[in-house]
């Protein structure tokens, strides 16, 4: 596997290949090497060979622990003493609380007061200290800034942070090390931390021979519009059921994606539900709606051509299954 | 790994270690080597190190394909031409249909007319030919016998068959090859095919240093009573939610268990629901109630002593997660 600085594209990113390799060394002893699962029946439906990198089976139930652990484990002793702070209503919150506990430091988590109880419990179980805010961007940022001012805690942003992106890159790195023959990798896109990392991790391992696509709900299509227009676009609405994909790109992630991503594929809410149900039923794994977004494009007849393959090809496609944190009614 | 005839106990079984090794060679190219998953939060709850052998992620969604494939792939050409017949309302039906398709032979499946539609669809998807019967043992056996008489098809019994048991043994063989340090392995017991195979596969790989326990619903406790009394007992009731565990031991499986199993642990319906919910939530995998039966004993305070360990020990326990076929309401 590539361990020296490779691939044309990567050199234009401020995140070096060494940073990703170091991130991997740093987090590897703490996290699961998640399995790559296959399903014959889904292969048939997609007329492709699909390889699911199961980050839903990762510690804390999502890939977010990769970035959070890399950021928190790489803090200096002085920084660590002050603790960490973040704002998130979802998987990043639990990941930061978990990684902070590994390092035995304080984790201050700002969550909207309407966050699902199950997500709050997860943060509390890892010993995170929750401060509730109003459910809007302004209140979230202000509350986090106030805590930062009071405690001196280090901000661990969910995606606008090179250490986070380098951590998220390790999922695609593992996938491409295991399956160098992949034609393409698909990952959901929200703030762009996972997708940026997937581009850098996949192309860092295999070069531009592997294409990387972001998958996004039609109802939260800022990445699609930003890349189409070449200018960072705001999110007008975000009422998608894919609750992990309601954030929008930051300048940092937009810059990486502009240079590295091969395209953004949009999917409807109906396609998300159908893909999620298929995975639960056929693969026997619990995935959240955000993860289904990265399978959905492959289930439509235009799927092959959308990822740059002939309609008659049998592409080998990796899918980053981002997480499995859903409220269950068993 | 052991490849020669080992272990005192095994020599008393009519199923030789070579038969298990051959079964493994036969089915390996066709089936998944299922992942072994761990969960820190479940480890804490059980105060143990748990290793889940995920046969819910196996082809057809259960371990049953191991036995069915071994039986069907080892038929002579002459036998195979006549096709196969079985009776099952559940996972064995789909497994036989699937393995018969691999061999391109007919599969006649007798199913009770009240079988869940999802199970019938699975059989049909694999090209199995369903004949419905009344939902009782007599009608099932008579209908299968009639088909056998008419077609000459070979009966592939769900568990009363050495080739089936040798196939099921390969799950525990894989688990112990990967984790030779296990103190104990737990598997659900119904007709005893999986549990017999687990005894032979685990002890064949590691000898009697690894203990094997069967787990059974209180509401379908024939294996418990049979082993306690030393005489094969009938099943009085079988109204457990663990729909895969409503059959009772055959003389063949009883004989193997008498010599090889270290005990049978009973669990209540409430314990089954609680264990199933925990696995879905914490591990993000879909398991059926029958699978939860093999985790449930470890979640009670007496769990350690029930598997022959000190209450203060941190045992390493393998759990055979038998399947993931449940009707989903997504």
């Amino acid at each position: 596997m590539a361990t020296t600085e490779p691939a044309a594209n990567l050199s234009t990113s401020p995140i070096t290949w060494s940073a990703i390799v170091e991130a991997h060394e740093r987090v590897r002893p703490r996290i699961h090497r998640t399995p790559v699962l296959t399903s014959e029946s889904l292969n048939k439906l997609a007329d492709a060979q699909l390889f699911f990198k199961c980050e839903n089976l990762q510690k804390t139930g999502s890939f977010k622990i990769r970035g959070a652990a890399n950021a928190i484990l790489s803090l200096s002793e002085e920084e660590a003493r002050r603790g960490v702070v973040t704002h998130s209503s979802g998987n990043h919150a639990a990941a930061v609380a978990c990684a902070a506990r590994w390092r035995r430091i304080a984790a201050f988590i700002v969550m909207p007061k309407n966050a699902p109880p199950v997500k709050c419990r997860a943060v509390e179980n890892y010993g995170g200290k929750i401060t509730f805010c109003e459910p809007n961007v302004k209140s979230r940022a202000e509350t986090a800034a106030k805590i930062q001012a009071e405690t001196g805690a280090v901000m661990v942003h969910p995606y606008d942070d090179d250490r986070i992106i380098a951590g998220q890159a390790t999922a695609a790195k593992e996938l491409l090390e295991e399956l160098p023959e992949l034609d393409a990798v698909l990952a959901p896109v929200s703030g762009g931390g996972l997708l940026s990392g997937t581009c850098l991790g996949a192309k860092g391992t295999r070069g531009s021979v592997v294409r990387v696509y972001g998958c996004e709900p039609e109802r939260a299509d800022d990445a699609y519009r930003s890349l189409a227009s070449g200018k960072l676009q705001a999110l007008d609405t975000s009422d998608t059921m894919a609750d992990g994909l309601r954030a929008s790109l930051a300048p940092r992630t937009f810059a990486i994606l502009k240079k590295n991503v091969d395209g953004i594929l949009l999917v409807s809410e109906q396609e998300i539900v159908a893909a999620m149900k298929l995975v639960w039923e056929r693969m026997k794994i619990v995935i959240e709606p955000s993860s289904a977004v990265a399978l959905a494009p492959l289930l439509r007849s235009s799927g092959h051509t959308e990822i740059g393959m002939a309609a008659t090809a049998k592409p080998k496609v990796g899918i980053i299954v981002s997480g499995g944190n859903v409220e269950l009614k068993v």
Side-chain angles (χ1 to χ4, degrees), chain A residues 304-325:
Chain A
H304 284 38
T305 52
E306 289 183 75
I307 59 166
M309 304 290 295
T312 53
K314 276 227 188 297
K316 294 183 178 175
V317 187
I319 292 164
I320 309 284
V321 179
S322 51
N325 293 318

Side-chain angles (χ1 to χ4, degrees), chain A residues 122-189:
Chain A
V123 170
E124 284 167 348
N125 282 343
Y126 291 118
K129 290 165 195 168
I130 299 176
T131 305
F132 288 106
C133 68
E134 295 302 313
N136 61 59
V137 175
K138 185 163 171 284
S139 169
R140 212 160 84 154
E142 282 175 2
T143 310
K146 189 159 167 277
I147 292 173
Q148 229 184 330
E150 284 169 11
T151 61
V154 177
M155 173 56 102
V156 181
H157 192 276
Y159 49 89
D160 190 14
D161 183 317
D162 284 353
R163 299 162 304 178
I164 293 288
I165 296 169
Q168 319 305 30
T170 60
K173 177 172 177 282
E174 287 177 7
L175 179 63
L176 271 294
E177 283 173 358
E178 196 168 329
L179 294 160
E181 69 270 31
L182 292 183
D183 296 305
V185 178
L186 273 57
V189 57

Side-chain angles (χ1 to χ4, degrees), chain A residues 280 286 326-330:
Chain A
W280 285 52
V286 176
V326 283
E327 196 86 46
L328 288 171
K329 292 173 199 92
V330 177

Side-chain angles (χ1 to χ4, degrees), chain A residues 4-317:
Chain A
T4 54
E5 203 72 24
N9 285 335
L10 200 63
S11 64
T12 61
S13 155
I15 299 169
T16 62
W17 179 244
S18 316
I20 293 168
V21 171
E22 280 165 26
H24 206 185
E25 294 307 312
R26 194 173 285 124
V27 303
R28 203 200 305 264
R30 295 290 198 160
I31 66 169
H32 292 308
R33 180 157 188 129
T34 49
V36 177
L37 299 182
T38 60
S39 160
E40 234 174 77
S41 65
L42 287 182
N43 283 353
K44 267 182 210 150
L45 288 171
D47 197 23
Q49 281 181 268
L50 308 182
F51 300 90
F52 295 83
K53 176 67 172 167
C54 287
E55 291 296 299
N56 57 328
L57 307 180
Q58 186 53 270
K59 296 212 174 184
T60 71
S62 90
F63 71 93
K64 290 281 190 182
I65 191 63
R66 294 178 181 268
N70 186 48
I72 291 172
L73 296 175
S74 62
L75 294 177
S76 71
E77 281 305 314
E78 188 278 318
E79 287 172 316
R81 258 195 303 277
R82 288 146 49 199
V84 289
V85 58
T86 196
H87 47 76
S88 160
S89 59
N91 292 332
H92 178 67
V96 165
C98 175
R101 165 174 275 192
W102 289 341
R103 191 127 187 209
R104 297 167 189 277
I105 61 176
F108 303 97
I109 314 287
V110 177
M111 300 184 83
K113 63 185 184 186
N114 62 354
V118 63
K119 305 268 179 180
C120 300
R121 277 202 306 278
V123 170
E124 284 167 348
N125 282 343
Y126 291 118
K129 290 165 195 168
I130 299 176
T131 305
F132 288 106
C133 68
E134 295 302 313
N136 61 59
V137 175
K138 185 163 171 284
S139 169
R140 212 160 84 154
E142 282 175 2
T143 310
K146 189 159 167 277
I147 292 173
Q148 229 184 330
E150 284 169 11
T151 61
V154 177
M155 173 56 102
V156 181
H157 192 276
Y159 49 89
D160 190 14
D161 183 317
D162 284 353
R163 299 162 304 178
I164 293 288
I165 296 169
Q168 319 305 30
T170 60
K173 177 172 177 282
E174 287 177 7
L175 179 63
L176 271 294
E177 283 173 358
E178 196 168 329
L179 294 160
E181 69 270 31
L182 292 183
D183 296 305
V185 178
L186 273 57
V189 57
S190 181
L194 175 63
L195 184 57
S196 294
T198 302
C199 286
L200 302 179
K203 299 190 181 207
T205 306
R206 287 289 294 148
S208 54
V209 64
V210 61
R211 291 186 302 286
V212 176
Y213 295 88
C215 302
E216 195 174 38
E218 286 170 357
R219 291 196 184 171
D221 64 347
D222 66 294
Y224 179 84
R225 288 184 291 107
S226 297
L227 284 155
S229 66
K231 283 193 181 163
L232 199 53
Q233 305 284 318
L235 203 54
D236 297 327
T237 60
S238 65
D239 64 342
T240 171
M241 70 180 295
D243 58 312
L245 306 183
R246 291 176 189 155
S248 47
L249 297 182
R252 184 190 311 264
T253 50
F254 182 47
I256 297 173
L257 296 183
K258 264 204 289 198
K259 298 206 171 85
N260 292 283
V261 81
D262 292 274
I264 304 286
L265 313 177
L266 294 179
V267 298
S268 70
E269 297 296 299
Q270 291 82 346
E271 286 178 305
I272 298 171
V273 181
M276 185 167 77
K277 191 161 183 216
L278 265 175
V279 169
W280 285 52
E281 265 187 13
R282 306 293 174 91
M283 296 186 65
K284 315 301 178 192
I285 55 174
V286 176
I287 68 168
E288 55 190 57
S290 304
S291 300
V293 169
L295 166 64
L298 299 170
L299 299 174
R300 54 197 182 203
S301 54
S302 55
H304 284 38
T305 52
E306 289 183 75
I307 59 166
M309 304 290 295
T312 53
K314 276 227 188 297
K316 294 183 178 175
V317 187

